[in-house]
Amino acid sequence: MNDFAALGAKIKAADGPGEAIKAFLRQAVEKKVADAVLVPVKVPAGNSYAWILVTDMSILDDASPVAPVMPVQGAKALKSLTRKGHGELTVMAVMRPCEIRATFELLKLNQVNLEKVVLVSYDCPGAIPFRDYVKDPGFGEKNFQAVMAAGGPAEKNVKPACVICDEFSRVDSDIHFGWFGESGSSVLVIPSSDRGVEVLGSMGMECSDDIAGWKKTISGLKEKKTGKRTATLTETAKTIQGLDGLLGTFSECIGCHNCMAVCPICYCRQCYFDSEVAKKTPDFILETAKKRGGLAFPSDRVMFHTGRMTHMSLSCVSCGMCTDACPVDIHVAEVFSYMADITQPAFEYTAGRNDGVPLPLRKYEEKEVPQVHEIVKEAEGEEAAHE
Amino acid sequence: MKAKVGVYVCECGPNISEKVDIDKILETLPGLEEYREIELVVKRFGLLCSGDGKTFLEDEINNNGLTHLVLGACSPRDHDKTFIGVCKKTSLNPFLYKIINIREHCAWIISDKDKATEKAITYIRAGINRVLFQSALLEKKLDINPDVLIIGGGIAGMEAALSLAARDRTVYLVEKDDHLGGKAVLLGGLLPRQGGGPAKIREKIESVLGNDMIKVYLESELEGVIGFLGNFEVIVGSPGDEEKKDLKVGAIIVATGSGLADPAILEGLDYSKTDEVITSMDAERMFSKEGKISLKSGGDPKSVALIHCVGREEKGYCSRICCNYMIKIAGYLKDQSADMKVTEFHRGLCLPDKADQGFQKEAEGRGVEFKRVRELTITGTNVRYEGMDGKSEGLKFDMVILAPALEPSEGTEGMADLLGVPLSESGYYQEIHQTTNPVATSIEGVFVVGAAHSPKGITDSMLFAQASAGKILSQLIPGGKITPEIKVSEILEAYCTGCGNCLDVCVYGAIYYDEGRGISVVNEAVCRGCGNCFGSCPSGALRTKHFTNTQLYEEMREAIR
């Protein structure tokens, strides 16, 4: 957890953290520290939420900063907003911790520009699986109300990625809204960066409330969730070992590439697997078919997923968009999270931080070679044990 | 047209023939014709790199009308260029040829002949498949520019300029100060006999200024550079002057010299606090101006401590020249007054040149005391030290002279960045090879000489300057042509997302980010085709010619078929 500040500002939140954040946003625009806000707003049809760059504050009435679902990963929204740089507007963006972490990965990849963006995060209880929600939005809203009422990171009725999420609280955002463990009528506004301090200062918010109690609550909850994540991913590991494991895991894949389309980190203009280079020559196809006695089409289904893992696992923030978008319920997010938990420590890298540490692929360190050998050896040992 | 691939296996004397069953290779390979639309010519030969071998290959290419050539032979490091030369004599494009290393990769490392043969067959098969996907690249010839830019007008820069300036070669000498001569012209005397030295440096300056083919730009700095050996375009500017000079040169010599570490940062040394603790350079300046070394408070010192190795441990290298010049300074002091107590505190003397030992003995003969120490602290002008016998002692002096470590001159990092030359751990420029190619850098056509390369005295600076001049004279012959690298990288705009991975991994500074299009772009003139960028691109937007995805993929596919 970001340890930036020891003090925050306790503010009233009689109608819950969502309304408190909205009030804060209105105040930020009034005090001219922001010109616009980027928040999820309920679509007119009432069955989903969309990211809206709000300049007319009356639209904020329909906004839900803490939305029940995440149809589009916030980092992706911010990317489409700032890919070509920043303008004159200062934007305050309210996003889930996983969305902010993905944003920092994209920042390192030159895909977003945060020059004029103030990032606001909050204690996130999780999000409802999108397909469950659209089937019956009324039921979905009720479910989410129950999730919010529990006042902590949810253990059921949310996306599988949220069930095992241990990064549900303060990340390297500018301002964080902490409310887990706080009494129902207040939330803590916590500066989390120099910019955050400056913004709160300009808004005249005095940070004099101790946040030690909240921090203790969060670290307790976090410990529990990390345990849950480890236990779940250990189970996942068993199902994906070896080629047979992978084939089994992805046997239902229909090749829609939704997982790629919704992944905030998948930033290529065109995926290699959709490109001409990946198309096979007829002699190769025949030869392979002859050798194996048969060949599935379109081919390279597992290759697509392992290829994406190679490219993305170092930056994976376990937001669970892939699983949420999979029409055949493959637990893609768990597989990627499992890989991320191996590859990121291997390069002493943690995805989602604004710490100036370059992506591992951008630097070469000789010591990494023997380290990778060790990891491969270990993995082979594990694989043998499973067989 | 059906491809006709010539495959020739070299026996390399007994090197390959005894360890690999070449006849089995010859029998097996024609099987490839069954599933590839190709015609093969497969033969063996004793020694392909010999005169006979080259003639044989040339005849084979011409007589058989080969479209592609694959050789099962040695490492490309040995003879790739030899066989490219053979291709160039024929109509076969050298980029449609491939050498397969079955000597180092098979014959020399696998004792089981069957296994070695099997691996050799696999490699050659893969090579044949690769060569079919190679493209006939066309080499370009460019006129070379024989002119040279030298950055730094110290002794090394001036010597390089004097060695290179000639009727058909202009040398541009850029100096950031308002005078030539660098550090050497500031010295009181030169080693080993002290007398006449400064006059020698002034003679060099006069020669440079009097040479019509050397254009000297004082108070000027290098501001931009693009290009490659034979064709650099550089921008030279002066601070405060809007007008820039655009120069075209064929090579660049960096002779920016060395700086002195600031002893004030070192613990236990009272450099900044006490007037009577000065650096060796202060002493040289004083001697040069006044002909003697005096106390700041006035009058001659009666006792002087000379402290060697100031900052050696912190820097992690020996500065090579200090032991010698400290003996020289002791000489100044003894000349001044034979009775003066002069003590040199050192950590083991470094006296590498032929005259040095005698020079030191001579100083000892004049009463200069040499004390080898383990530890040393200075308070005011009091020196407290631990000798080699482990005993600590304190001595009081009138004056202390420090020999601070040499360090890369100010602005080295910026210059390295501008030129694309990497720096070594010490902060000095990284040469291609410390022992076998010390003046050249990884950027072809950029050389580093003098104390900019590493701590150096005047003699070594002269040698390095002359060495770089030799390299340039042989590479940039006026009227000559140069073949730029054609196996360069390119970026396909439609695929590039401008993430900048390639910019970070490019060691030549050959890639830049195009703000307007939001993509990265390769400057082909600077690219050396190393392929780092190709490996770093997640989008498949990067392609290195002659090492395309398809070529590598097809090679591997055949190898594991």
Side-chain angles (χ1 to χ4, degrees):
Chain A
M1 184 168 71
N2 176 334
D3 254 336
F4 187 81
L7 295 173
K10 193 171 267 208
I11 60 166
K12 290 243 172 321
D15 300 319
E19 289 306 312
I21 295 174
K22 273 158 76 168
F24 175 82
L25 295 174
R26 285 203 177 88
Q27 204 188 335
V29 173
E30 264 168 38
K31 300 243 162 133
K32 301 212 185 314
V33 296
D35 303 299
V37 296
L38 184 69
V39 276
V41 176
K42 203 169 205 176
V43 297
N47 56 358
S48 182
Y49 289 80
W51 286 101
I52 306 291
L53 181 66
V54 180
T55 50
D56 173 354
M57 289 303 126
S58 67
I59 296 176
L60 219 48
D61 296 343
D62 295 323
S64 286
V66 188
V69 288
M70 33 190 311
V72 172
Q73 229 270 9
K76 242 184 147 72
L78 204 56
K79 175 183 165 182
S80 54
L81 180 65
T82 62
R83 171 72 181 97
K84 287 286 176 190
H86 61 84
E88 289 303 308
L89 286 187
T90 296
V91 177
M92 198 171 257
V94 186
M95 305 201 290
R96 292 174 194 274
C98 57
E99 295 174 316
I100 287 177
R101 291 169 65 231
T103 299
F104 288 127
E105 288 304 295
L106 291 181
L107 180 69
K108 291 178 183 183
L109 290 160
N110 202 19
Q111 303 297 302
V112 290
N113 185 318
L114 300 181
E115 205 63 27
K116 303 274 268 179
V117 178
V118 180
L119 293 170
V120 179
S121 59
Y122 50 82
D123 286 349
C124 173
I128 307 282
F130 191 49
R131 270 181 298 142
D132 290 359
Y133 182 91
V134 288
K135 248 182 255 162
D136 186 347
F139 185 69
E141 289 287 344
K142 235 165 76 190
N143 252 343
F144 191 64
Q145 273 166 23
V147 163
M148 287 293 283
E155 272 155 34
K156 55 179 198 255
N157 292 333
V158 288
K159 303 197 301 180
C162 305
V163 174
I164 61 165
C165 174
D166 56 0
E167 288 280 7
F168 52 81
S169 185
R170 183 153 65 139
V171 287
D172 292 349
S173 54
D174 297 310
I175 295 161
H176 183 79
F177 280 76
W179 61 281
F180 286 172
E182 295 297 296
S183 81
S185 57
S186 70
V187 298
L188 286 166
V189 187
I190 307 160
S192 296
S193 71
D194 291 332
R195 179 178 288 182
V197 172
E198 197 186 307
V199 167
L200 294 184
S202 308
M203 289 172 69
M205 278 183 107
E206 203 177 315
C207 296
S208 53
D209 297 306
D210 188 23
I211 60 169
W214 167 79
K215 270 168 126 171
K216 205 170 155 213
T217 307
I218 296 295
S219 69
L221 291 168
K222 202 174 151 111
E223 200 177 313
K224 227 168 106 190
K225 281 289 198 177
T226 305
K228 179 89 182 154
R229 179 179 168 106
T230 312
T232 305
L233 297 185
T234 309
E235 287 307 304
T236 305
K238 290 180 190 158
T239 65
I240 59 165
Q241 294 298 332
L243 190 56
D244 286 342
L246 283 171
L247 281 167
T249 301
F250 294 112
S251 62
E252 291 150 323
C253 175
I254 57 168
C256 68
H257 292 189
N258 274 1
C259 47
M260 174 197 92
V262 298
C263 177
I265 314 292
C266 258
Y267 65 98
C268 293
R269 277 200 201 179
Q270 187 186 27
C271 182
Y272 168 82
F273 291 97
D274 294 331
S275 75
E276 279 311 303
V277 194
K279 309 273 189 294
K280 302 289 178 291
T281 53
D283 68 311
F284 175 75
I285 292 168
L286 283 177
E287 211 178 282
T288 317
K290 258 192 213 164
K291 202 164 77 184
R292 296 185 194 163
L295 190 61
F297 281 92
S299 57
D300 287 347
R301 201 181 321 169
V302 170
M303 219 23 181
F304 166 76
H305 292 287
T306 51
R308 222 171 69 77
M309 259 178 244
T310 322
H311 281 180
M312 295 306 141
S313 70
L314 282 168
S315 287
C316 178
V317 295
S318 301
C319 68
M321 290 303 294
C322 42
T323 298
D324 213 28
C326 180
V328 289
D329 296 328
I330 298 168
H331 53 288
V332 194
E334 276 99 324
V335 177
F336 272 66
S337 298
Y338 167 70
M339 284 313 298
D341 282 0
I342 296 173
T343 57
Q344 292 179 18
F347 292 96
E348 288 158 16
Y349 181 77
T350 309
R353 293 211 176 140
N354 187 25
D355 50 9
V357 175
L359 286 163
L361 279 181
R362 292 193 176 204
K363 59 185 174 81
Y364 170 74
E365 285 174 30
E366 215 163 313
K367 65 169 188 182
E368 287 170 352
V369 179
Q371 281 172 350
V372 169
H373 280 283
E374 277 307 305
I375 290 157
V376 170
K377 239 190 267 167
E378 236 172 72
E380 280 171 353
E382 259 175 50
E383 201 175 309
H386 283 296
E387 281 163 7
Chain B
M1 192 183 73
K2 204 172 177 181
K4 192 168 183 184
V5 186
V7 184
Y8 302 92
V9 182
C10 180
E11 294 171 3
C12 194
N15 277 310
I16 295 175
S17 57
E18 280 183 5
K19 298 287 186 179
V20 171
D21 184 347
I22 297 181
D23 285 334
K24 183 152 183 222
I25 299 179
L26 303 188
E27 281 163 32
T28 314
L29 289 178
L32 282 174
E33 288 173 327
E34 283 172 26
Y35 64 93
R36 288 275 181 279
E37 282 289 303
I38 53 170
E39 192 184 335
L40 287 175
V41 179
V42 187
K43 288 180 186 168
R44 64 188 287 167
F45 195 87
L47 199 59
L48 285 173
C49 62
S50 66
D52 285 352
K54 288 190 269 188
T55 313
F56 163 76
L57 279 179
E58 204 181 319
D59 291 345
E60 285 287 315
I61 295 169
N62 290 332
N63 299 344
N64 290 315
L66 298 180
T67 58
H68 300 81
L69 176 67
V70 173
L71 305 179
C74 56
S75 162
R77 281 173 167 249
D78 269 11
H79 283 297
D80 202 27
K81 282 190 178 148
T82 309
F83 300 122
I84 287 174
V86 171
C87 294
K88 281 182 176 170
K89 285 187 170 175
T90 71
S91 57
L92 184 70
N93 183 295
F95 290 93
L96 298 178
Y97 132 86
K98 169 110 185 117
I99 188 168
I100 308 296
N101 185 1
I102 62 166
R103 191 181 66 185
E104 280 87 335
H105 288 177
C106 306
W108 282 358
I109 57 161
I110 304 173
S111 51
D112 182 326
K113 194 168 180 177
D114 287 342
K115 281 187 178 161
T117 307
E118 196 186 320
K119 188 176 173 191
I121 292 171
T122 305
Y123 272 37
I124 295 174
R125 265 184 19 225
I128 295 171
N129 210 41
R130 186 194 204 280
V131 90
L132 292 172
F133 288 88
Q134 287 177 191
S135 306
L137 303 177
L138 292 180
E139 285 186 344
K140 286 179 260 182
K141 291 254 185 241
L142 292 173
D143 290 335
I144 60 155
N145 185 326
D147 298 343
V148 178
L149 172 79
I150 299 174
I151 308 158
I155 190 72
M158 290 197 300
E159 181 62 15
L162 289 168
S163 308
L164 285 162
R167 190 162 48 86
D168 38 16
R169 186 191 315 277
T170 305
V171 175
Y172 302 98
L173 185 58
V174 176
E175 167 56 50
K176 73 172 170 15
D177 281 341
D178 60 359
H179 64 272
L180 292 176
K183 292 252 179 336
V185 81
L186 303 176
L187 300 178
L190 296 189
L191 283 168
R193 291 288 172 260
Q194 299 162 22
K200 286 248 176 295
I201 308 289
R202 281 194 288 276
E203 269 170 36
K204 289 263 179 213
I205 298 177
E206 291 310 317
S207 310
V208 168
L209 294 174
N211 192 318
D212 289 345
M213 298 312 284
I214 303 177
K215 301 222 176 330
V216 178
Y217 299 117
L218 294 176
E219 294 179 89
S220 299
E221 281 176 46
L222 180 71
E223 290 183 357
V225 54
I226 55 164
F228 52 98
L229 174 70
N231 288 274
F232 286 105
E233 286 178 32
V234 300
I235 302 168
V236 172
S238 309
D241 187 358
E242 286 285 299
E243 212 169 304
K244 309 280 177 206
K245 288 169 206 77
D246 292 311
L247 306 174
K248 286 186 168 46
V249 294
I252 298 172
I253 297 178
V254 182
T256 47
S258 205
L260 286 180
D262 180 0
I265 58 170
L266 303 170
E267 274 178 46
L269 299 175
D270 259 353
Y271 175 60
S272 53
K273 291 176 209 153
T274 314
D275 279 351
E276 308 303 354
V277 180
I278 64 172
T279 69
S280 50
M281 200 64 197
D282 297 335
E284 290 277 6
R285 295 297 296 131
M286 209 190 289
F287 185 76
S288 163
K289 277 187 193 156
E290 297 156 23
K292 61 184 219 161
I293 295 169
S294 329
L295 293 167
K296 288 271 166 66
S297 55
D300 285 1
K302 293 207 167 45
S303 61
V304 180
L306 297 170
I307 316 289
H308 294 226
C309 292
V310 176
R312 187 186 68 177
E313 246 168 78
E314 289 75 3
K315 290 286 173 189
Y317 52 81
C318 165
S319 293
R320 290 176 60 107
I321 62 169
C322 333
C323 284
N324 258 318
Y325 76 59
M326 288 300 255
I327 299 171
K328 182 180 73 173
I329 291 172
Y332 298 160
L333 296 166
K334 281 289 182 188
D335 287 346
Q336 206 168 312
S337 156
D339 299 337
M340 198 186 295
K341 178 177 150 65
V342 180
T343 313
E344 304 230 13
F345 293 92
H346 65 92
R347 314 231 172 188
L349 291 171
C350 168
L351 300 167
D353 285 342
K354 60 187 174 195
D356 296 351
Q357 300 279 351
F359 189 47
Q360 188 259 342
K361 286 273 170 271
E362 196 184 307
E364 252 176 346
R366 299 181 71 189
V368 177
E369 196 181 352
F370 287 84
K371 275 190 195 293
R372 186 167 177 187
V373 298
R374 278 195 189 138
E375 294 291 334
L376 183 142
T377 50
I378 303 170
T379 316
T381 50
N382 294 332
V383 178
R384 181 148 204 94
Y385 67 95
E386 185 194 322
M388 297 310 284
D389 53 7
K391 283 185 195 146
S392 288
E393 205 182 335
L395 286 174
K396 196 172 164 29
F397 293 89
D398 292 344
M399 182 181 223
V400 175
I401 300 177
L402 308 172
L406 267 64
E407 62 180 15
S409 60
E410 207 188 322
T412 295
E413 264 179 52
M415 181 70 72
D417 211 34
L418 205 59
L419 293 165
V421 175
L423 296 176
S424 67
E425 257 174 50
S426 60
Y428 283 96
Y429 294 99
Q430 178 76 56
E431 66 277 80
I432 289 212
H433 194 281
Q434 194 188 337
T435 37
T436 61
N437 200 356
V439 293
T441 68
S442 60
I443 305 293
E444 227 184 329
V446 176
F447 301 88
V448 179
V449 305
H453 171 278
S454 58
K456 257 181 208 42
I458 292 173
T459 314
D460 285 340
S461 296
M462 296 293 244
L463 287 173
F464 265 64
Q466 289 161 359
S468 71
K471 291 228 168 211
I472 291 169
L473 290 172
S474 66
Q475 284 174 26
L476 299 182
I477 296 159
K481 302 260 183 198
I482 208 156
T483 312
E485 181 62 65
I486 41 175
K487 298 187 297 253
V488 292
S489 289
E490 54 188 351
I491 292 174
L492 307 173
E493 181 166 357
Y495 292 88
C496 178
T497 54
C499 72
N501 276 353
C502 51
L503 271 99
D504 276 10
V505 299
C506 179
V507 291
Y508 299 100
I511 304 180
Y512 62 93
Y513 182 67
D514 183 329
E515 291 278 349
R517 290 187 289 170
I519 61 162
S520 302
V521 181
V522 177
N523 180 347
E524 288 199 6
V526 184
C527 175
R528 310 306 300 158
C530 73
N532 265 1
C533 53
F534 174 44
S536 78
C537 179
S539 311
L542 257 150
R543 215 168 69 153
T544 304
K545 287 177 189 168
H546 205 57
F547 288 91
T548 65
N549 235 335
T550 312
Q551 286 162 2
L552 300 179
Y553 183 76
E554 290 296 333
E555 184 176 10
M556 279 190 278
R557 176 157 83 83
E558 184 60 36
I560 60 171
R561 194 168 62 86

